[in-house]
Amino acid sequence: MPNYTAPVEDMMFLFDKLRNNKNYNDLEKYKEVNSELVKDILEEAAKINQNLILPLAKSGDENPTVLENGVVRTPPGYKEAYSKYIEDGWTSLSCDPKYGGQGMPKTVSAFFDEMLSSASLSFKLYSELSIGAYNCISHHATDKIKEKYLPKMVEGKWSGTMCLTEPVCGTDLGLLKTKAIEQSDGSFKLSGQKIFITSGDQDLTENIIHLVIARVADSPAGTKGISLFLVPKFVVNEDGSIGARNGVSTGSIESKMGIKGSATCVLNFDDATGYMIGLKNKGLNAMFTMMNLERIVVGIQGLGISEIAYQNSLSYAKERKQGKTNNTKSTNGADFIIEHADIRKSLLNMKSIIEGERALCFWLSQQTEVSLYHPEEKIKQEASDLVSLMTPVVKTMFSDMGMEITSEAMQVHGGYGYTKDQGIEQLYRDNRITPIYEGTNSIQAADLVFRKLVNKNGDIINKYLELIKNDCSIENEKLKPFIKELKIHLEILSTFTDWIKEKVQNSKDDASAACNDYLKALGFVSIAHAWIKVLEVCFKDYEQNKDFYEDKIQTANFYFKRVLPRAESHFKTATLGSDYIMNFKFS
């Protein structure tokens, strides 16, 4: 089983030193969330993840969730761990105190999401979708529904799901067939089938609150006719008690490559009682509240799994002896593999990407809070546009890099990495879903290029590139070499941006073929921008913590020399166009 130590020191560095967004710091609701409180939370989070949840990863993989006589059974140890998990209040961390939550910002809950992803992604998924459902209900439901359902969801006694996909539609939700028929009391009866429903059924909670998209009988075809409904597994009585079983049943659970401890279900809705959330035919608008936040969390899943893969690779490299290095002075025996240049390069590649991603995620967490709660509409909208722009980048970049890092971790472990003994191959398998669910990474890239670069509020990508340029005006001699490299690649990205904007207008095949490359180029530059913010602090406060800051500086040095240049490669290959792709004749 892999070992794991939560990177609390790095997280606290970000919280203490990079929480410098004036608009975020103006939010009254977080004035009392200070470093002492956050450190206490993260240290307790580290304990539960390292000691209680980490062992569940192996348990869930070796004893997958099963469906027995219509009942979904979670792996051994899950029930006991979940009881402790909700007893300690972890489901309520970021929820509104009005419904029993602790009211922590995403600058804190994102760190917990990362730890939980490192410890056991399968276990995490049982509460993760609940928080997504909570967010959707709290933003779009009536006060009556909020008061009836949210307290139990916040407490963790009830869980939540997101039911979109059907056998006939995944990305193209306009094809959905699930029907909703209005009843005389204002409720609806839903009939249809949903597939790939994460945590669709389980034996951990008393009730499951499904958020289901469906079409009302008189609604138009396509996405314009989709409405959103709350459908409980058990009907909830007026007094809040649990009533009769609703018309929701589990048809089967998927046998998967990874995250085997998570129940991925086929759900059948047979005249199930549901209640409309938000406006009729505006269901996708409401559901995107859940989906967009969930996409960022999926990126954090990739980050969390990358972290534990790196930690175990570093540990293994320090104790495994193989061969002699070029500069070896030993006369007998072999050297530790961490002395070999190629292994060191692999480890630094992992480390520089992970720490850069964590810094970028922390910046995005601040922007998210501003987009939700800032009192000035203009500032709120500007932050919202940045979050919208960066959501597909974080989801795609972090999950794709998670595949690269877990693959590299297996390589560092050699043959042992391919066996089940070390647990590294499980990290690879568990992470493989992150580039697929919540919208495949190719869909994310297309969404970025065709919808997010420019919107009704203006040229969002140019505003973001200007923001980076402004941050490159820092006067610090030691920062200059890093800023020089960022400026070079920022210019490449600007040229790439102009090219892709033109192709969106006059050659959509060229643009489509370049979407993934453009997202990667933007991602590598965005992580470099996050590193500049980290380095500014490191050079300024160097004497306060020399060892920590020197480690950061050298890690960033690798990123700018070895990783950031990959952005140019994506630019060069993408701008060759698509004729040679589209004109190819497959036999």
Side-chain angles (χ1 to χ4, degrees), residues 84 90 155 173 209 394 540 581:
K84 174 65 174 170
W90 293 110
E155 187 183 2
L173 294 172
I209 311 305
V394 166
K540 181 167 65 73
I581 298 170

Side-chain angles (χ1 to χ4, degrees), residues 62-280:
E62 294 181 345
N63 304 279
T65 305
V66 295
L67 177 63
E68 296 178 343
N69 301 319
V71 178
V72 172
R73 309 287 186 193
T74 52
Y78 271 49
K79 277 187 178 181
E80 297 79 4
Y82 187 78
S83 294
K84 174 65 174 170
Y85 181 78
I86 66 171
E87 179 186 324
D88 289 354
W90 293 110
T91 53
S92 69
L93 188 63
S94 62
C95 299
D96 193 330
K98 180 179 179 180
Y99 303 109
Q102 299 175 53
M104 289 296 108
K106 287 175 178 54
T107 48
V108 178
S109 64
F111 291 145
F112 182 67
D113 279 332
E114 182 194 326
M115 288 187 200
L116 199 50
S117 299
S118 292
S120 174
L121 181 55
S122 287
F123 180 82
K124 181 184 195 293
L125 291 170
Y126 287 106
S127 59
E128 178 179 307
L129 273 295
S130 299
I131 298 302
Y134 158 86
N135 284 321
C136 186
I137 294 168
S138 65
H139 279 86
H140 299 287
T142 63
D143 288 340
K144 182 179 179 182
I145 285 179
K146 291 178 191 177
E147 290 161 8
K148 190 172 183 178
Y149 291 92
L150 291 185
K152 287 288 188 182
M153 295 180 72
V154 170
E155 187 183 2
K157 292 289 182 70
W158 297 356
S159 62
T161 75
M162 178 169 63
C163 301
L164 285 75
T165 308
E166 299 183 6
V168 295
C169 66
T171 301
D172 192 354
L173 294 172
L175 299 174
L176 71 84
K177 294 185 178 298
T178 301
K179 298 294 184 185
I181 300 174
E182 189 167 8
Q183 307 297 297
S184 59
D185 62 356
S187 67
F188 289 78
K189 292 290 186 183
L190 276 75
S191 296
Q193 186 180 77
K194 298 291 182 178
I195 63 170
F196 300 150
I197 308 305
T198 301
S199 308
D201 202 1
Q202 32 78 8
D203 56 2
L204 304 177
T205 61
E206 298 169 356
N207 204 357
I208 303 175
I209 311 305
H210 303 291
L211 292 185
V212 186
I213 57 170
R215 199 183 311 280
V216 180
D218 60 351
S219 292
T223 56
K224 293 181 178 179
I226 295 175
S227 298
L228 177 64
F229 301 88
L230 183 156
V231 184
K233 177 179 177 179
F234 292 95
V235 174
V236 179
N237 298 323
E238 285 303 312
D239 63 359
S241 63
I242 293 177
R245 179 70 184 255
N246 205 355
V248 186
S249 62
T250 303
S252 63
I253 56 175
E254 303 295 344
S255 178
K256 307 185 296 291
M257 174 182 179
I259 55 166
K260 295 181 179 182
S262 169
T264 305
C265 300
V266 173
L267 294 182
N268 297 315
F269 295 84
D270 300 298
D271 280 340
T273 299
Y275 310 92
M276 189 176 287
I277 301 292
L279 300 174
K280 182 179 178 180

